Amino acid sequence: QKVDFYSISDDVGNAADEVMGVASQLAECNPTNEPTIYFGDKTNGGNSPLDGTWRLLFTTAADATFSKSSKRGAATAKNVVDASKGRITNVIDFATLEDGTEPLLKQLNVVIGAKSAGKSRVELQFKYAKAVLTKFFFWKRQWSVYIPVPAPFITRSIVFFSRILKFGRQGEVKVPPKAYFDVLYLDEDLRIHKTGEDNLFVQASPAWEEAQPFLS
């Protein structure tokens, strides 16, 4: 699901269009010929241009957008890439509430297996999510809950048995598409990619000083 920027205001919608336009222009002059080089390489993964931490600047994905006025509250999001292990962790840190107390859900980590599927494409396999909570029932105590994500073989099994049950009937059981993203632009400071769901992500390295005021 995408963010409807114009439902917020015309100014926000126009600004979002401008960001997406600039992203398209940058994609035409990507300085990195092979963004996925060394990705998944246990020896040279540290030299991968994707390796490291990336902070969110802009996205069209509704589920990656947070604000004080939303039910989920304000939060900062980052993407930690361990190219040597072929692992990506999406980290969401929820902000302290207006009354100064910590939110029930303090942090959410989504761990994803990843592999190169071409010079610019990275295929994703969601492994599990870890939720860091600040209360255990009525006690103030930080603890974590691990939520497994069904492996691909479970999905394939469901599809297989669904086909058996539908044998001789009209209609086709569709296999869910693979999750992936295509790197559109990448340098040492800026990363722009688009997911298989057609959502755009613009991310910056924490070391890029000029981007600091805009990082979320």
Side-chain angles (χ1 to χ4, degrees):
Q1 186 178 358
K2 291 187 176 182
V3 178
D4 181 1
F5 294 103
Y6 281 97
S7 68
I8 302 171
S9 74
D10 287 343
D11 288 342
V12 172
N14 291 330
D17 286 344
E18 187 173 348
V19 171
M20 289 185 279
V22 171
S24 295
Q25 293 175 24
L26 287 173
E28 296 177 1
C29 56
N30 184 7
T32 306
N33 181 54
E34 189 174 351
T36 61
I37 189 170
Y38 300 130
F39 195 91
D41 188 323
K42 294 181 179 179
T43 303
N44 299 306
N47 295 321
S48 168
L50 285 170
D51 192 68
T53 299
W54 300 90
R55 298 283 299 278
L56 184 64
L57 280 172
F58 172 86
T59 183
T60 60
D63 61 358
T65 304
F66 302 88
S67 68
K68 290 182 180 179
S69 58
S70 69
K71 292 182 179 179
R72 294 179 295 180
T76 58
K78 62 184 176 182
N79 186 249
V80 182
V81 180
D82 187 335
S84 297
K85 295 182 178 179
R87 183 173 64 196
I88 298 174
T89 305
N90 291 330
V91 182
I92 302 169
D93 291 301
F94 291 90
T96 301
L97 302 178
E98 292 183 355
D99 60 5
T101 60
E102 288 189 312
L104 175 60
L105 178 58
K106 185 175 183 179
Q107 186 184 79
L108 182 64
N109 297 269
V110 181
V111 180
I112 308 165
K115 65 178 182 179
S116 170
K119 287 187 175 182
S120 299
R121 177 166 293 188
V122 176
E123 285 189 356
L124 308 172
Q125 181 184 333
F126 291 84
K127 298 291 188 179
Y128 63 88
K130 183 181 81 168
V132 179
L133 305 173
T134 58
K135 289 183 181 180
F136 184 76
F137 292 100
F138 299 105
W139 294 278
K140 289 185 178 181
R141 180 179 179 182
Q142 184 168 303
W143 61 296
S144 301
V145 177
Y146 290 83
I147 307 167
V149 177
F153 84 90
I154 296 179
T155 301
R156 288 196 292 267
S157 298
I158 293 172
V159 171
F160 174 74
F161 286 110
S162 296
R163 284 175 174 166
I164 292 177
L165 293 173
K166 289 178 70 66
F167 182 76
R169 303 178 190 176
Q170 291 185 344
E172 181 181 353
V173 178
K174 295 182 179 180
V175 178
K178 290 183 178 179
Y180 67 88
F181 66 79
D182 291 322
V183 180
L184 305 181
Y185 180 91
L186 180 65
D187 62 26
E188 61 181 11
D189 294 321
L190 183 66
R191 168 181 150 192
I192 302 173
H193 72 259
K194 183 172 285 188
T195 69
E197 296 178 333
D198 199 40
N199 276 312
L200 185 72
F201 284 79
V202 180
Q203 299 168 319
S205 166
W208 187 14
E209 292 184 4
E210 288 83 353
Q212 294 303 315
F214 310 103
L215 291 174
S216 62

